[in-house]
Amino acid sequence: MTNTTANTVIQSLPEEMLSEILRHAASNSLYDFVNLKLSCKAFFGASNYNYIFENISMEQYLTLGGCKSQRVFFNLCKDAGNPEALYWEGMRHCFSLWQTDSGLRYLKKAVEKGHVEAIYSYGIILICLGGELRKQGLQVLSSLNLTASIKRSFKIASCRSKTQKLLSLMWVFFSLPGPREYSFNEAKVVGLNCEHDIPPREHDPWLIRTNIEIVENLPCCDSCFWDREATLFCTMLEEIKYPEGA
């Protein structure tokens, strides 16, 4: 089939079908979407539907040339409700712009779309803010459906790693208060009397070393587990935080 014949066939297809093809390409690769969009006028004309940008893969976003091109593309995705874009914007508002309220609103929208790293970050932030928000944070984190300890450690380590990578690309100025400390007596009342005094095992793949040592698969309740994870999150923020006025 010649290019002319192929273009004629494509142009005969309904625009809704062309946009669905573009959506499928966009969900796999930004480059595939761009190349397909530019391949002919028919695809170009069907490329501006919001649901395409809602589902587009952001994995190659940072390779777009030029800050203006990046920002225009990012805003299209964010305004269309792309979960990854909402997550990035929420983290930027929370930790670069000192706009926690708007940042949490963006993160909540990403959470409602099932974005895993958004669920992790949003829940941890709420835990650190304390009070009733802490209870909401624990409820949000429960949606990650973590069961077996190895699955839990792997999934949380992945979330933490991706979150750290994202924050390292930002100017981070805002820190979080650490999770609240429970006294031994209070812990017994609220079910947090967990075994913290187990010594770290050598070569344990889930040993996290910061200024404190925490073994992720220690036996503990969910509340206590997430307090420890929030401590790691706060430590990570401090390690990448830019000095004020820098």
Side-chain angles (χ1 to χ4, degrees), residues 183-213:
S183 68
F184 179 76
N185 288 332
E186 185 180 7
K188 290 177 68 176
V189 174
V190 297
L192 296 177
N193 184 19
C194 300
E195 299 177 41
H196 294 298
D197 297 327
I198 299 175
R201 291 171 289 181
E202 288 189 35
H203 311 302
D204 189 328
W206 303 116
L207 177 63
I208 305 300
R209 295 185 181 275
T210 58
N211 58 337
I212 54 177
E213 290 187 347

PDB file of all heavy atoms in Angstrom, residues 183-213:
ATOM      1  N   SER A 183       4.056   7.375  73.853  1.00  0.00           N
ATOM      2  CA  SER A 183       4.652   6.817  75.059  1.00  0.00           C
ATOM      3  C   SER A 183       4.287   5.341  75.139  1.00  0.00           C
ATOM      4  O   SER A 183       3.349   4.877  74.488  1.00  0.00           O
ATOM      5  CB  SER A 183       4.116   7.543  76.296  1.00  0.00           C
ATOM      6  OG  SER A 183       2.735   7.234  76.480  1.00  0.00           O
ATOM      7  N   PHE A 184       5.019   4.585  75.948  1.00  0.00           N
ATOM      8  CA  PHE A 184       4.775   3.148  76.045  1.00  0.00           C
ATOM      9  C   PHE A 184       3.364   2.880  76.544  1.00  0.00           C
ATOM     10  O   PHE A 184       2.644   2.037  76.010  1.00  0.00           O
ATOM     11  CB  PHE A 184       5.793   2.505  76.985  1.00  0.00           C
ATOM     12  CG  PHE A 184       5.586   1.029  77.162  1.00  0.00           C
ATOM     13  CD1 PHE A 184       5.961   0.136  76.170  1.00  0.00           C
ATOM     14  CD2 PHE A 184       4.987   0.521  78.315  1.00  0.00           C
ATOM     15  CE1 PHE A 184       5.761  -1.235  76.324  1.00  0.00           C
ATOM     16  CE2 PHE A 184       4.790  -0.835  78.464  1.00  0.00           C
ATOM     17  CZ  PHE A 184       5.187  -1.716  77.479  1.00  0.00           C
ATOM     18  N   ASN A 185       2.923   3.620  77.563  1.00  0.00           N
ATOM     19  CA  ASN A 185       1.590   3.386  78.130  1.00  0.00           C
ATOM     20  C   ASN A 185       0.496   3.722  77.129  1.00  0.00           C
ATOM     21  O   ASN A 185      -0.489   3.012  76.993  1.00  0.00           O
ATOM     22  CB  ASN A 185       1.406   4.229  79.405  1.00  0.00           C
ATOM     23  CG  ASN A 185       2.238   3.692  80.551  1.00  0.00           C
ATOM     24  OD1 ASN A 185       2.532   2.497  80.603  1.00  0.00           O
ATOM     25  ND2 ASN A 185       2.635   4.561  81.457  1.00  0.00           N
ATOM     26  N   GLU A 186       0.676   4.842  76.405  1.00  0.00           N
ATOM     27  CA  GLU A 186      -0.325   5.222  75.419  1.00  0.00           C
ATOM     28  C   GLU A 186      -0.361   4.202  74.281  1.00  0.00           C
ATOM     29  O   GLU A 186      -1.404   3.868  73.762  1.00  0.00           O
ATOM     30  CB  GLU A 186      -0.027   6.614  74.863  1.00  0.00           C
ATOM     31  CG  GLU A 186      -1.124   7.112  73.914  1.00  0.00           C
ATOM     32  CD  GLU A 186      -0.831   8.488  73.368  1.00  0.00           C
ATOM     33  OE1 GLU A 186       0.272   8.997  73.618  1.00  0.00           O
ATOM     34  OE2 GLU A 186      -1.705   9.043  72.696  1.00  0.00           O
ATOM     35  N   ALA A 187       0.806   3.699  73.923  1.00  0.00           N
ATOM     36  CA  ALA A 187       0.885   2.724  72.843  1.00  0.00           C
ATOM     37  C   ALA A 187       0.088   1.467  73.179  1.00  0.00           C
ATOM     38  O   ALA A 187      -0.547   0.873  72.311  1.00  0.00           O
ATOM     39  CB  ALA A 187       2.335   2.353  72.567  1.00  0.00           C
ATOM     40  N   LYS A 188       0.119   1.060  74.441  1.00  0.00           N
ATOM     41  CA  LYS A 188      -0.625  -0.131  74.840  1.00  0.00           C
ATOM     42  C   LYS A 188      -2.118   0.097  74.648  1.00  0.00           C
ATOM     43  O   LYS A 188      -2.840  -0.798  74.234  1.00  0.00           O
ATOM     44  CB  LYS A 188      -0.320  -0.460  76.297  1.00  0.00           C
ATOM     45  CG  LYS A 188       1.090  -0.967  76.527  1.00  0.00           C
ATOM     46  CD  LYS A 188       1.366  -1.218  77.994  1.00  0.00           C
ATOM     47  CE  LYS A 188       0.559  -2.391  78.524  1.00  0.00           C
ATOM     48  NZ  LYS A 188       0.892  -2.712  79.921  1.00  0.00           N
ATOM     49  N   VAL A 189      -2.553   1.329  74.923  1.00  0.00           N
ATOM     50  CA  VAL A 189      -3.973   1.633  74.817  1.00  0.00           C
ATOM     51  C   VAL A 189      -4.431   1.619  73.360  1.00  0.00           C
ATOM     52  O   VAL A 189      -5.477   1.067  73.023  1.00  0.00           O
ATOM     53  CB  VAL A 189      -4.268   3.012  75.447  1.00  0.00           C
ATOM     54  CG1 VAL A 189      -5.724   3.408  75.198  1.00  0.00           C
ATOM     55  CG2 VAL A 189      -3.975   2.976  76.935  1.00  0.00           C
ATOM     56  N   VAL A 190      -3.623   2.208  72.448  1.00  0.00           N
ATOM     57  CA  VAL A 190      -4.057   2.336  71.059  1.00  0.00           C
ATOM     58  C   VAL A 190      -3.560   1.199  70.173  1.00  0.00           C
ATOM     59  O   VAL A 190      -3.702   1.228  68.970  1.00  0.00           O
ATOM     60  CB  VAL A 190      -3.584   3.683  70.456  1.00  0.00           C
ATOM     61  CG1 VAL A 190      -4.200   4.833  71.193  1.00  0.00           C
ATOM     62  CG2 VAL A 190      -2.065   3.793  70.466  1.00  0.00           C
ATOM     63  N   GLY A 191      -2.973   0.167  70.777  1.00  0.00           N
ATOM     64  CA  GLY A 191      -2.587  -0.991  69.994  1.00  0.00           C
ATOM     65  C   GLY A 191      -1.278  -0.845  69.264  1.00  0.00           C
ATOM     66  O   GLY A 191      -1.048  -1.498  68.257  1.00  0.00           O
ATOM     67  N   LEU A 192      -0.387   0.033  69.765  1.00  0.00           N
ATOM     68  CA  LEU A 192       0.891   0.249  69.086  1.00  0.00           C
ATOM     69  C   LEU A 192       2.056  -0.362  69.856  1.00  0.00           C
ATOM     70  O   LEU A 192       3.205  -0.008  69.637  1.00  0.00           O
ATOM     71  CB  LEU A 192       1.139   1.761  68.906  1.00  0.00           C
ATOM     72  CG  LEU A 192       0.148   2.476  68.002  1.00  0.00           C
ATOM     73  CD1 LEU A 192       0.458   3.964  67.976  1.00  0.00           C
ATOM     74  CD2 LEU A 192       0.214   1.923  66.593  1.00  0.00           C
ATOM     75  N   ASN A 193       1.762  -1.259  70.765  1.00  0.00           N
ATOM     76  CA  ASN A 193       2.830  -1.877  71.559  1.00  0.00           C
ATOM     77  C   ASN A 193       3.528  -2.942  70.720  1.00  0.00           C
ATOM     78  O   ASN A 193       3.309  -4.126  70.863  1.00  0.00           O
ATOM     79  CB  ASN A 193       2.231  -2.494  72.831  1.00  0.00           C
ATOM     80  CG  ASN A 193       3.322  -3.051  73.731  1.00  0.00           C
ATOM     81  OD1 ASN A 193       4.489  -2.675  73.601  1.00  0.00           O
ATOM     82  ND2 ASN A 193       2.939  -3.932  74.626  1.00  0.00           N
ATOM     83  N   CYS A 194       4.388  -2.495  69.792  1.00  0.00           N
ATOM     84  CA  CYS A 194       5.035  -3.388  68.841  1.00  0.00           C
ATOM     85  C   CYS A 194       6.472  -3.659  69.258  1.00  0.00           C
ATOM     86  O   CYS A 194       7.051  -2.927  70.048  1.00  0.00           O
ATOM     87  CB  CYS A 194       4.998  -2.791  67.442  1.00  0.00           C
ATOM     88  SG  CYS A 194       3.326  -2.504  66.854  1.00  0.00           S
ATOM     89  N   GLU A 195       7.057  -4.704  68.681  1.00  0.00           N
ATOM     90  CA  GLU A 195       8.398  -5.128  69.067  1.00  0.00           C
ATOM     91  C   GLU A 195       9.453  -4.373  68.259  1.00  0.00           C
ATOM     92  O   GLU A 195       9.809  -4.760  67.152  1.00  0.00           O
ATOM     93  CB  GLU A 195       8.536  -6.636  68.835  1.00  0.00           C
ATOM     94  CG  GLU A 195       7.557  -7.448  69.661  1.00  0.00           C
ATOM     95  CD  GLU A 195       7.676  -8.927  69.344  1.00  0.00           C
ATOM     96  OE1 GLU A 195       8.812  -9.405  69.186  1.00  0.00           O
ATOM     97  OE2 GLU A 195       6.632  -9.583  69.254  1.00  0.00           O
ATOM     98  N   HIS A 196       9.942  -3.279  68.843  1.00  0.00           N
ATOM     99  CA  HIS A 196      10.912  -2.446  68.136  1.00  0.00           C
ATOM    100  C   HIS A 196      12.350  -2.849  68.428  1.00  0.00           C
ATOM    101  O   HIS A 196      13.261  -2.384  67.753  1.00  0.00           O
ATOM    102  CB  HIS A 196      10.753  -0.980  68.536  1.00  0.00           C
ATOM    103  CG  HIS A 196       9.453  -0.400  68.091  1.00  0.00           C
ATOM    104  ND1 HIS A 196       9.090  -0.293  66.774  1.00  0.00           N
ATOM    105  CD2 HIS A 196       8.422   0.096  68.809  1.00  0.00           C
ATOM    106  CE1 HIS A 196       7.890   0.265  66.692  1.00  0.00           C
ATOM    107  NE2 HIS A 196       7.468   0.497  67.902  1.00  0.00           N
ATOM    108  N   ASP A 197      12.596  -3.667  69.423  1.00  0.00           N
ATOM    109  CA  ASP A 197      13.956  -3.907  69.894  1.00  0.00           C
ATOM    110  C   ASP A 197      14.620  -5.116  69.248  1.00  0.00           C
ATOM    111  O   ASP A 197      15.570  -5.664  69.785  1.00  0.00           O
ATOM    112  CB  ASP A 197      13.958  -4.079  71.423  1.00  0.00           C
ATOM    113  CG  ASP A 197      13.486  -2.811  72.111  1.00  0.00           C
ATOM    114  OD1 ASP A 197      13.767  -1.729  71.577  1.00  0.00           O
ATOM    115  OD2 ASP A 197      12.845  -2.911  73.160  1.00  0.00           O
ATOM    116  N   ILE A 198      14.110  -5.555  68.115  1.00  0.00           N
ATOM    117  CA  ILE A 198      14.756  -6.652  67.396  1.00  0.00           C
ATOM    118  C   ILE A 198      15.995  -6.112  66.696  1.00  0.00           C
ATOM    119  O   ILE A 198      15.907  -5.143  65.942  1.00  0.00           O
ATOM    120  CB  ILE A 198      13.800  -7.273  66.369  1.00  0.00           C
ATOM    121  CG1 ILE A 198      12.574  -7.848  67.086  1.00  0.00           C
ATOM    122  CG2 ILE A 198      14.492  -8.343  65.539  1.00  0.00           C
ATOM    123  CD1 ILE A 198      11.528  -8.380  66.143  1.00  0.00           C
ATOM    124  N   PRO A 199      17.176  -6.699  66.932  1.00  0.00           N
ATOM    125  CA  PRO A 199      18.395  -6.165  66.313  1.00  0.00           C
ATOM    126  C   PRO A 199      18.387  -6.380  64.804  1.00  0.00           C
ATOM    127  O   PRO A 199      17.862  -7.385  64.311  1.00  0.00           O
ATOM    128  CB  PRO A 199      19.514  -6.985  66.973  1.00  0.00           C
ATOM    129  CG  PRO A 199      18.851  -8.245  67.400  1.00  0.00           C
ATOM    130  CD  PRO A 199      17.444  -7.863  67.783  1.00  0.00           C
ATOM    131  N   PRO A 200      18.962  -5.437  64.027  1.00  0.00           N
ATOM    132  CA  PRO A 200      19.031  -5.619  62.573  1.00  0.00           C
ATOM    133  C   PRO A 200      19.837  -6.852  62.207  1.00  0.00           C
ATOM    134  O   PRO A 200      20.865  -7.137  62.816  1.00  0.00           O
ATOM    135  CB  PRO A 200      19.744  -4.345  62.102  1.00  0.00           C
ATOM    136  CG  PRO A 200      19.642  -3.381  63.238  1.00  0.00           C
ATOM    137  CD  PRO A 200      19.572  -4.196  64.476  1.00  0.00           C
ATOM    138  N   ARG A 201      19.364  -7.606  61.230  1.00  0.00           N
ATOM    139  CA  ARG A 201      20.083  -8.791  60.776  1.00  0.00           C
ATOM    140  C   ARG A 201      21.036  -8.410  59.646  1.00  0.00           C
ATOM    141  O   ARG A 201      20.701  -7.603  58.786  1.00  0.00           O
ATOM    142  CB  ARG A 201      19.085  -9.846  60.279  1.00  0.00           C
ATOM    143  CG  ARG A 201      18.245 -10.447  61.385  1.00  0.00           C
ATOM    144  CD  ARG A 201      17.139 -11.300  60.794  1.00  0.00           C
ATOM    145  NE  ARG A 201      16.144 -10.444  60.147  1.00  0.00           N
ATOM    146  CZ  ARG A 201      15.048 -10.916  59.555  1.00  0.00           C
ATOM    147  NH1 ARG A 201      14.844 -12.211  59.511  1.00  0.00           N
ATOM    148  NH2 ARG A 201      14.195 -10.100  59.001  1.00  0.00           N
ATOM    149  N   GLU A 202      22.230  -9.013  59.664  1.00  0.00           N
ATOM    150  CA  GLU A 202      23.179  -8.721  58.599  1.00  0.00           C
ATOM    151  C   GLU A 202      22.626  -9.185  57.265  1.00  0.00           C
ATOM    152  O   GLU A 202      21.955 -10.201  57.171  1.00  0.00           O
ATOM    153  CB  GLU A 202      24.510  -9.430  58.875  1.00  0.00           C
ATOM    154  CG  GLU A 202      25.301  -8.812  60.012  1.00  0.00           C
ATOM    155  CD  GLU A 202      26.690  -9.410  60.085  1.00  0.00           C
ATOM    156  OE1 GLU A 202      27.239  -9.724  59.017  1.00  0.00           O
ATOM    157  OE2 GLU A 202      27.205  -9.560  61.194  1.00  0.00           O
ATOM    158  N   HIS A 203      22.905  -8.408  56.231  1.00  0.00           N
ATOM    159  CA  HIS A 203      22.527  -8.717  54.856  1.00  0.00           C
ATOM    160  C   HIS A 203      21.015  -8.748  54.657  1.00  0.00           C
ATOM    161  O   HIS A 203      20.531  -9.344  53.706  1.00  0.00           O
ATOM    162  CB  HIS A 203      23.130 -10.056  54.407  1.00  0.00           C
ATOM    163  CG  HIS A 203      24.584 -10.185  54.705  1.00  0.00           C
ATOM    164  ND1 HIS A 203      25.514  -9.294  54.218  1.00  0.00           N
ATOM    165  CD2 HIS A 203      25.278 -11.073  55.457  1.00  0.00           C
ATOM    166  CE1 HIS A 203      26.724  -9.642  54.640  1.00  0.00           C
ATOM    167  NE2 HIS A 203      26.601 -10.714  55.402  1.00  0.00           N
ATOM    168  N   ASP A 204      20.282  -8.141  55.555  1.00  0.00           N
ATOM    169  CA  ASP A 204      18.832  -8.058  55.377  1.00  0.00           C
ATOM    170  C   ASP A 204      18.560  -7.098  54.216  1.00  0.00           C
ATOM    171  O   ASP A 204      18.922  -5.930  54.281  1.00  0.00           O
ATOM    172  CB  ASP A 204      18.175  -7.529  56.657  1.00  0.00           C
ATOM    173  CG  ASP A 204      16.652  -7.634  56.599  1.00  0.00           C
ATOM    174  OD1 ASP A 204      16.098  -7.511  55.495  1.00  0.00           O
ATOM    175  OD2 ASP A 204      16.046  -7.844  57.650  1.00  0.00           O
ATOM    176  N   PRO A 205      17.918  -7.545  53.140  1.00  0.00           N
ATOM    177  CA  PRO A 205      17.724  -6.661  51.982  1.00  0.00           C
ATOM    178  C   PRO A 205      16.781  -5.503  52.257  1.00  0.00           C
ATOM    179  O   PRO A 205      16.732  -4.567  51.484  1.00  0.00           O
ATOM    180  CB  PRO A 205      17.130  -7.602  50.923  1.00  0.00           C
ATOM    181  CG  PRO A 205      16.481  -8.693  51.712  1.00  0.00           C
ATOM    182  CD  PRO A 205      17.354  -8.879  52.929  1.00  0.00           C
ATOM    183  N   TRP A 206      16.019  -5.556  53.351  1.00  0.00           N
ATOM    184  CA  TRP A 206      15.063  -4.484  53.627  1.00  0.00           C
ATOM    185  C   TRP A 206      15.535  -3.587  54.754  1.00  0.00           C
ATOM    186  O   TRP A 206      14.751  -2.869  55.356  1.00  0.00           O
ATOM    187  CB  TRP A 206      13.700  -5.083  53.954  1.00  0.00           C
ATOM    188  CG  TRP A 206      13.213  -5.949  52.843  1.00  0.00           C
ATOM    189  CD1 TRP A 206      12.979  -7.283  52.873  1.00  0.00           C
ATOM    190  CD2 TRP A 206      12.958  -5.548  51.499  1.00  0.00           C
ATOM    191  NE1 TRP A 206      12.585  -7.731  51.651  1.00  0.00           N
ATOM    192  CE2 TRP A 206      12.564  -6.703  50.791  1.00  0.00           C
ATOM    193  CE3 TRP A 206      13.043  -4.332  50.830  1.00  0.00           C
ATOM    194  CZ2 TRP A 206      12.235  -6.660  49.448  1.00  0.00           C
ATOM    195  CZ3 TRP A 206      12.717  -4.292  49.484  1.00  0.00           C
ATOM    196  CH2 TRP A 206      12.319  -5.443  48.807  1.00  0.00           C
ATOM    197  N   LEU A 207      16.837  -3.627  55.073  1.00  0.00           N
ATOM    198  CA  LEU A 207      17.371  -2.727  56.085  1.00  0.00           C
ATOM    199  C   LEU A 207      17.576  -1.350  55.466  1.00  0.00           C
ATOM    200  O   LEU A 207      18.267  -1.206  54.473  1.00  0.00           O
ATOM    201  CB  LEU A 207      18.707  -3.249  56.614  1.00  0.00           C
ATOM    202  CG  LEU A 207      19.412  -2.360  57.647  1.00  0.00           C
ATOM    203  CD1 LEU A 207      18.557  -2.238  58.896  1.00  0.00           C
ATOM    204  CD2 LEU A 207      20.776  -2.932  57.993  1.00  0.00           C
ATOM    205  N   ILE A 208      16.959  -0.343  56.020  1.00  0.00           N
ATOM    206  CA  ILE A 208      17.082   1.017  55.524  1.00  0.00           C
ATOM    207  C   ILE A 208      18.000   1.782  56.461  1.00  0.00           C
ATOM    208  O   ILE A 208      17.720   1.918  57.653  1.00  0.00           O
ATOM    209  CB  ILE A 208      15.705   1.720  55.471  1.00  0.00           C
ATOM    210  CG1 ILE A 208      14.722   0.892  54.657  1.00  0.00           C
ATOM    211  CG2 ILE A 208      15.839   3.110  54.885  1.00  0.00           C
ATOM    212  CD1 ILE A 208      15.149   0.673  53.221  1.00  0.00           C
ATOM    213  N   ARG A 209      19.104   2.290  55.949  1.00  0.00           N
ATOM    214  CA  ARG A 209      20.069   2.999  56.799  1.00  0.00           C
ATOM    215  C   ARG A 209      19.952   4.505  56.548  1.00  0.00           C
ATOM    216  O   ARG A 209      20.185   4.989  55.455  1.00  0.00           O
ATOM    217  CB  ARG A 209      21.493   2.532  56.500  1.00  0.00           C
ATOM    218  CG  ARG A 209      21.731   1.073  56.855  1.00  0.00           C
ATOM    219  CD  ARG A 209      23.184   0.685  56.659  1.00  0.00           C
ATOM    220  NE  ARG A 209      23.383  -0.721  56.989  1.00  0.00           N
ATOM    221  CZ  ARG A 209      23.605  -1.174  58.205  1.00  0.00           C
ATOM    222  NH1 ARG A 209      23.662  -0.324  59.208  1.00  0.00           N
ATOM    223  NH2 ARG A 209      23.778  -2.463  58.425  1.00  0.00           N
ATOM    224  N   THR A 210      19.578   5.233  57.589  1.00  0.00           N
ATOM    225  CA  THR A 210      19.630   6.691  57.545  1.00  0.00           C
ATOM    226  C   THR A 210      20.405   7.087  58.793  1.00  0.00           C
ATOM    227  O   THR A 210      21.362   6.434  59.162  1.00  0.00           O
ATOM    228  CB  THR A 210      18.209   7.293  57.536  1.00  0.00           C
ATOM    229  OG1 THR A 210      17.515   6.848  58.710  1.00  0.00           O
ATOM    230  CG2 THR A 210      17.448   6.829  56.311  1.00  0.00           C
ATOM    231  N   ASN A 211      20.009   8.172  59.433  1.00  0.00           N
ATOM    232  CA  ASN A 211      20.646   8.490  60.707  1.00  0.00           C
ATOM    233  C   ASN A 211      20.124   7.589  61.823  1.00  0.00           C
ATOM    234  O   ASN A 211      20.615   7.604  62.932  1.00  0.00           O
ATOM    235  CB  ASN A 211      20.410   9.959  61.061  1.00  0.00           C
ATOM    236  CG  ASN A 211      18.929  10.290  61.134  1.00  0.00           C
ATOM    237  OD1 ASN A 211      18.106   9.603  60.548  1.00  0.00           O
ATOM    238  ND2 ASN A 211      18.606  11.362  61.825  1.00  0.00           N
ATOM    239  N   ILE A 212      19.087   6.815  61.498  1.00  0.00           N
ATOM    240  CA  ILE A 212      18.612   5.764  62.392  1.00  0.00           C
ATOM    241  C   ILE A 212      18.523   4.500  61.552  1.00  0.00           C
ATOM    242  O   ILE A 212      18.568   4.546  60.334  1.00  0.00           O
ATOM    243  CB  ILE A 212      17.228   6.095  63.004  1.00  0.00           C
ATOM    244  CG1 ILE A 212      16.229   6.401  61.885  1.00  0.00           C
ATOM    245  CG2 ILE A 212      17.319   7.239  63.969  1.00  0.00           C
ATOM    246  CD1 ILE A 212      14.835   6.652  62.392  1.00  0.00           C
ATOM    247  N   GLU A 213      18.410   3.352  62.200  1.00  0.00           N
ATOM    248  CA  GLU A 213      18.301   2.100  61.478  1.00  0.00           C
ATOM    249  C   GLU A 213      16.917   1.516  61.694  1.00  0.00           C
ATOM    250  O   GLU A 213      16.446   1.407  62.819  1.00  0.00           O
ATOM    251  CB  GLU A 213      19.370   1.097  61.940  1.00  0.00           C
ATOM    252  CG  GLU A 213      20.774   1.488  61.525  1.00  0.00           C
ATOM    253  CD  GLU A 213      21.779   0.395  61.842  1.00  0.00           C
ATOM    254  OE1 GLU A 213      21.420  -0.527  62.593  1.00  0.00           O
ATOM    255  OE2 GLU A 213      22.906   0.472  61.343  1.00  0.00           O
TER     256      GLU A 213
END
